[in-house]
Amino acid sequence: MLQNLTTGQTENADYSVLYDALYQLYANPLNLNTATHDELAATYLLTELQINSLLAYRADYGVLLSMYELQVVPDFDMATIQRLMLFTTVDEGRGALLRRLPNPTNHYLLIRYQQILEKQQGFTPAEASKSGKLPQRYLGDEQHWYVRYRYSRPRAFSFGLTAEKDAGEQMRWQPGSYQYGFDFVSFHGQVQNRGRWRNLIIGDYQLQIGQGLILSAGFVLGKSAETVQGVRRSTLGARPYTSLSEFGYLRGATATYALSRQLDLTLLLAGNRRDANIIAATAKAEAEVSSLLTSGLHRTASELEARASLAEQNLGGHLLYHPNTRLQLGLTALYTTFGTKLQKRNLPYNQYEFVGKENLVIGLHGSYVRQNVNLFGEIARSSGSQNAGGGIGAVGGALISLSRRLDMALLLRHYDRNYHSFYANAFGEGSRTINESGAYLGLKYTVYRKFSVAGFIDRFRFPWLRYLVDAPSQGYDYLLQATYTPTKKLLFYASYHEEHKQKNRSATKTTPKEVAAGTIRRVLVFNAEYYPLWGLQLRSRVQWTSFRYAGADPSNGFAFIQDASYDRGRWRISGRMALFGTDDYDSRQYAYERDVLYAFSFPAYSNRGRRQYLMVQYAVNRHLDVWLRLSRTQLTNQPTIGSDLDQTGVPHRTEVKVQARWQF
């Protein structure tokens, strides 16, 4: 499902967070008898017409007694119902916490080991140069370890612990350096729906509020093959943080309390340690943060020096008014302080970046549903930057079911070049919610139940300079996709995505660099899924990418991919064989791969060669599942793979993963 949703996507998307949120929904199904409009919309499985039909059916006939009752809900078809059954349930509702606490729906311990078998440069012995200086090397060993424990029941409680050590990192117990064995440790405890206490989380968490101008987290698609539903954010409130991304979450406590049936109040308090490059204080200047780091890697002495070096505190609140299922209004405020002043490098494109130690963002959001029209929007203002003052961020749009077959999305957005919100992730072309204006139109038309077409066009403008773009710039992109499902065992789709943007010419020696008249990226995908035998699924995929600067020769790339999956009894086996070729990195190919549970793989294929993997899962008994995954990339036009410390001395790279899950 994730591969189909991300057709044509290549950049500016955190697919690991998307995968994690989607799998959490799979592991903890949404209760259709209690789900709100926002919760249903956040699944991206239903149109506005279908959501309204389900809510009206519940109001007229009461709770659903079975998932199969969805067949009599107006506007629901079998394809939609089959998708819903993977991610939803019709639970019995709430009960006493002490009675439900000993009966979790999820209670497991998971351990994973992985390693690249070829020796990488960072793990080789360091040889002194002529000056006697030793080159940099990784401080830890080559093993990657991951541990996850979860004890939870949807809409009742959740307790979890996640720990990870990347290859090259050290296992250390140094509380003074904020390391407790594993390099990354995340934890949470959550209780929900206890009287007026809607939600209480202690530990690591994220919040999804409004359209993501101030607080955004979880399952957000943006521009994708889901051309209509993917543009709107849902107000889901606080959720435990379970991803392995070592940034973008809050550590502390948050609580949501129902002041009345129509009014909820959420408060949050958090204290984080963030990775940052800090320029030490001098006699004439205080210490400054030149950049915030988001890789989460701490393998070398310089990476360790930046680890948890910046103290950050957050205090915020959200007031939500929801008098009925149609109307929702909210007020959000977030106050962020840093222990060291933020001051990015003195470069032209950084002129309007945040400077200082304090930032306050206040915003209003709302949504209104009228028949088959959903209007939504948010506006916010930031203040606190010492160099450019505060800026405005605004986004507004509508989802409209024009008929039973035709759905449309409209969205307008504007983010000032001096709008600063550190936990924002609103809809946009850029990877950050800053320095952008745009207009989006998406359509989806069901020709008949087996054949549908969808597409979007988005025009955007960047009023100020950006990284690698030394002038104000603009562009547009569009996507067209056709999907044909002749039977339950056959699915075909074709997708074409074209993007026009401006970018510096890499060969230009002037400062600032000359901005190209334009670049064009084209991605064409043909995909077929079929089930020739019971338990056997095959997927064939051909994709082509072209990238070129205006007036220059294009860089072309292709990939031929064949996947196979077989499920029989206790065994699940899947594999891939891929052939690829690209002129350079500009025409790289992205292709989602199946991986072990809670792992994520979306590699970029570049140069020329082949890639294959084989994964085996075996259910030893009702408690124990084990996975083994082997993957290998072999290049035919390069003597090595990777660069710098990640480089191998041979043209191939082999990775092994072994994982075990014990369900109590």
Side-chain angles (χ1 to χ4, degrees), residues 264-550:
D264 294 342
L265 174 64
T266 299
L267 298 176
L268 69 91
L269 178 66
N272 289 57
R273 303 291 306 193
R274 300 191 63 167
D275 293 358
N277 285 326
I278 297 181
I279 301 174
T282 65
K284 297 182 179 180
E286 63 178 318
E288 294 178 347
V289 175
S290 61
S291 61
L292 299 174
L293 307 178
T294 59
S295 71
L297 297 173
H298 310 112
R299 304 160 300 179
T300 64
S302 58
E303 290 175 347
L304 274 176
E305 184 180 1
R307 185 185 186 278
S309 59
L310 177 64
E312 174 191 311
Q313 290 80 39
N314 285 277
L315 177 64
H318 176 236
L319 194 62
L320 182 65
Y321 176 61
H322 49 97
N324 50 55
T325 59
R326 295 184 299 159
L327 177 65
Q328 183 183 97
L329 295 172
L331 171 66
T332 312
L334 180 64
Y335 178 61
T336 303
T337 61
F338 298 99
T340 306
K341 177 183 176 182
L342 269 63
Q343 174 69 70
K344 290 195 173 183
R345 292 181 299 166
N346 185 22
L347 295 171
Y349 69 86
N350 284 333
Q351 182 174 336
Y352 292 94
E353 289 289 345
F354 179 83
V355 174
K357 293 184 178 182
E358 302 177 359
N359 190 52
L360 174 65
V361 193
I362 299 177
L364 293 169
H365 71 87
S367 65
Y368 179 69
V369 179
R370 176 71 174 177
Q371 295 180 345
N372 297 323
V373 179
N374 184 335
L375 302 174
F376 57 90
E378 184 174 14
I379 184 169
R381 178 177 176 82
S382 66
S383 60
S385 181
Q386 297 176 5
N387 64 327
I392 296 289
V395 58
L399 302 183
I400 307 171
S401 289
L402 298 172
S403 70
R404 293 180 182 272
R405 293 186 176 185
L406 181 60
D407 296 296
M408 180 175 70
L410 295 169
L411 185 137
L412 300 175
R413 62 193 185 274
H414 173 75
Y415 316 130
D416 279 345
R417 56 191 175 184
N418 58 344
Y419 176 72
H420 305 294
S421 184
F422 296 101
Y423 291 89
N425 185 23
F427 185 95
E429 169 64 20
S431 58
R432 299 168 56 213
T433 307
I434 187 174
N435 184 35
E436 181 177 336
S437 297
Y440 174 98
L441 169 65
L443 294 169
K444 184 175 183 180
Y445 181 66
T446 303
V447 181
Y448 69 108
R449 62 186 181 86
K450 295 182 179 181
F451 182 65
S452 64
V453 292
F456 72 73
I457 183 168
D458 184 46
R459 186 158 187 95
F460 43 84
R461 183 173 62 90
F462 306 107
W464 186 243
L465 286 59
R466 303 168 65 227
Y467 178 62
L468 297 182
V469 188
D470 290 344
S473 59
Q474 59 185 343
Y476 68 92
D477 70 328
Y478 64 88
L479 179 141
L480 297 171
Q481 178 161 317
T483 303
Y484 178 52
T485 312
T487 69
K488 293 181 180 179
K489 296 184 178 182
L490 284 173
L491 181 148
F492 303 95
Y493 70 76
S495 172
Y496 178 74
H497 183 210
E498 183 169 312
E499 182 181 57
H500 294 248
K501 296 175 74 171
Q502 292 174 290
K503 187 178 179 182
N504 291 345
R505 290 189 183 273
S506 57
T508 302
K509 298 181 180 181
T510 60
T511 302
K513 290 184 177 293
E514 176 190 354
V515 176
T519 65
I520 304 175
R521 180 184 297 276
R522 298 183 174 97
V523 181
L524 179 63
V525 176
F526 295 99
N527 189 88
E529 298 175 29
Y530 39 102
Y531 296 80
L533 300 172
W534 185 86
L536 176 64
Q537 178 192 17
L538 300 178
R539 178 194 292 259
S540 302
R541 185 180 179 96
V542 179
Q543 57 189 56
W544 166 83
T545 298
S546 174
F547 177 89
R548 73 178 179 90
Y549 289 95

Side-chain angles (χ1 to χ4, degrees), residues 61-93:
Y61 301 102
V63 299
L64 299 169
L65 301 180
S66 165
M67 291 291 293
Y68 299 103
E69 193 176 346
L70 290 171
Q71 296 176 82
V72 298
V73 177
D75 306 307
F76 275 65
D77 55 79
M78 285 307 300
T80 299
I81 294 171
Q82 288 168 357
R83 289 196 304 269
L84 271 180
M85 292 178 71
L86 294 173
F87 301 101
T88 59
T89 185
V90 286
D91 198 7
E92 72 277 7

Side-chain angles (χ1 to χ4, degrees), residues 58 131 306 337 516 563 631:
R58 262 178 19 193
S131 63
T337 61
D563 293 334
S631 62

Side-chain angles (χ1 to χ4, degrees), residues 635 640-644 646-648 653:
L635 297 184
T640 62
I641 289 183
S643 60
D644 198 26
D646 287 332
Q647 186 180 82
T648 61
R653 178 169 293 182

